[in-house]
Amino acid sequence: MAEEGAIIGRVKLEQRHGKERVRVGRVWKDSDGTHHFVEWNVGIRLLSDCLPAYFTGDNSNIVATDTMKNTVYVKAKECSERIPVEIFAIKLAKHFTTFYQPVTTAIVNIVEKQWERVSVDGLLHKHGFQFGSEEHTTEVVVKKCGALQVTSGIGKLRLLKTTQSGFEGFIRDKYTILPETQERLLGTEVTASWRYAFKSLQNIPVQPLYFFDSHMGVKKVLVDTFFGPPKMGVYSPSVQYTLFEMAKAVLQRFCDLSSVDLKMPNIHFLPVNLSSKDNPVIVKFEDDVYLPTDEPHGAIEASLSRIHSKM
């Protein structure tokens, strides 16, 4: 990501400034009494022509970070109709690059906490919500010229299957004690991000549900590919293989995405075998009793991008 900077003597200054962890909750109310609720954690970074603040103490070109915080609340108030987090981030970034002459680029990161509507007696509650575990993320970069970059994602998506997973044929040496297996429990916490192909404010899709549908669609493809068909599942020879299949399925399904990035730690569930000198078999592991542990864990991540021919 480019930063505003300058050469001073034999050193180079690169700078940006902003506000982090601006938390805002927003309620929208339908005419039938149904409420919608979001909780956003907003981060803002501005690239601007404010180098005199560093060189001479002249703050005349600085947008105060307190002003950035207040702008979040004002813009949330101005959104009279329910909008996806990506559109809110674009509105914020566009405001900073158009309203303030010194600002050349605005970078807005937002994490949306997943508040889910509760069901009572089989009916969806009109204003009751419960906290979900996963997160909806976005990063928007807007330049003064109108150039746009939108990346969305999912965080803390915990997935687990109790069979149809193995790990064999890996390098073995004198430090290797891990047994090969065709039967193990596979658990992970997916962090996924995907970049949209459009590159300017003028190219933002006009469909009001576009980002809502894309987020839910990508999540469904990731989950469905991880698990496979409901009755049979799908075999995973490694986390790496499953990660690639998930990313590939997303790009195949959504032609308006240019890349997918996945982080899938292998969260270990260790087989429990208990024995003692007097009792060699207190608990015998038969793919049934595990010790859940998340430290240490395997770290597997990869990016998959489209290659566009220049011919």
Side-chain angles (χ1 to χ4, degrees):
M1 191 69 63
E3 299 189 26
E4 292 295 320
I7 304 295
I8 312 101
R10 301 185 63 180
V11 296
K12 182 180 180 181
L13 170 68
E14 293 183 339
Q15 59 83 31
R16 61 175 72 177
H17 79 289
K19 200 74 165 179
E20 283 291 337
R21 299 182 63 82
V22 182
R23 298 179 62 183
V24 56
R26 182 61 161 99
V27 176
W28 291 282
K29 304 173 184 179
D30 293 344
S31 57
D32 66 354
T34 301
H35 291 191
H36 304 274
F37 177 75
V38 294
E39 179 185 345
W40 292 326
N41 193 326
V42 182
I44 301 165
R45 288 290 183 272
L46 301 184
L47 281 63
S48 61
D49 182 16
C50 64
L51 295 177
Y54 293 85
F55 302 153
T56 67
D58 178 1
N59 298 329
S60 58
N61 277 352
I62 286 184
V63 181
T65 65
D66 187 68
T67 302
M68 299 182 203
K69 175 202 68 177
N70 296 338
T71 302
V72 172
Y73 302 125
V74 171
K75 293 302 174 183
K77 175 68 174 180
E78 290 178 357
C79 296
S80 57
E81 295 183 355
R82 183 186 177 209
I83 60 170
V85 64
E86 289 88 352
I87 295 298
F88 183 68
I90 291 170
K91 286 181 178 292
L92 272 178
K94 184 179 178 182
H95 167 81
F96 288 115
T97 55
T98 57
F99 192 76
Y100 298 102
Q101 190 278 330
V103 175
T104 58
T105 302
I107 305 165
V108 176
N109 289 273
I110 303 180
V111 176
E112 178 176 320
K113 304 294 183 67
Q114 292 298 293
W115 287 97
E116 302 166 351
R117 192 176 303 279
V118 299
S119 178
V120 178
D121 295 333
L123 298 176
L124 291 176
H125 203 283
K126 287 197 171 186
H127 57 263
F129 300 86
Q130 62 185 5
F131 191 64
S133 59
E134 67 193 69
E135 297 174 336
H136 179 174
T137 62
T138 192
E139 178 182 85
V140 166
V141 181
V142 173
K143 296 182 179 295
K144 192 176 287 291
C145 64
L148 171 68
Q149 177 180 296
V150 179
T151 304
S152 293
I154 298 171
K156 299 183 179 180
L157 177 61
R158 300 207 68 169
L159 305 177
L160 180 146
K161 58 183 184 179
T162 54
T163 187
Q164 288 283 54
S165 173
F167 192 51
E168 302 175 279
F170 49 88
I171 294 174
R172 304 200 70 88
D173 56 37
K174 62 182 181 180
Y175 303 120
T176 305
I177 61 174
L178 181 70
E180 298 190 357
T181 182
Q182 294 181 344
E183 177 63 35
R184 66 174 182 172
L185 188 153
L186 176 59
T188 188
E189 183 176 286
V190 180
T191 300
S193 63
W194 52 92
R195 181 168 296 177
Y196 291 91
F198 47 81
K199 296 182 178 180
S200 72
L201 290 168
Q202 292 72 29
N203 298 136
I204 300 172
V206 296
Q207 305 96 308
L209 298 180
Y210 173 80
F211 287 108
F212 286 125
D213 292 343
S214 294
H215 178 265
M216 295 305 298
V218 171
K219 176 183 172 182
K220 185 177 188 306
V221 169
L222 291 172
V223 172
D224 290 356
T225 307
F226 178 87
F227 290 114
K231 290 187 178 180
M232 297 177 54
V234 61
Y235 184 70
S236 170
S238 66
V239 178
Q240 287 86 343
Y241 178 87
T242 298
L243 181 154
F244 177 74
E245 290 297 303
M246 292 165 67
K248 182 175 67 174
V250 169
L251 289 187
Q252 289 174 341
R253 172 65 178 80
F254 297 94
C255 61
D256 53 348
L257 303 183
S258 60
S259 64
V260 180
D261 184 276
L262 290 177
K263 297 179 181 179
M264 292 176 54
N266 188 2
I267 299 175
H268 302 304
F269 288 77
L270 306 178
V272 173
N273 281 294
L274 294 183
S275 62
S276 68
K277 181 178 179 180
D278 299 326
N279 188 351
V281 182
I282 300 174
V283 171
K284 184 179 186 305
F285 178 70
E286 295 176 324
D287 299 310
D288 53 358
V289 179
Y290 300 84
L291 170 63
T293 178
D294 56 6
E295 295 180 355
H297 62 250
I300 297 93
E301 56 186 88
S303 299
L304 195 63
S305 305
R306 299 187 195 276
I307 299 177
H308 298 287
S309 173
K310 297 182 179 180
M311 297 288 289

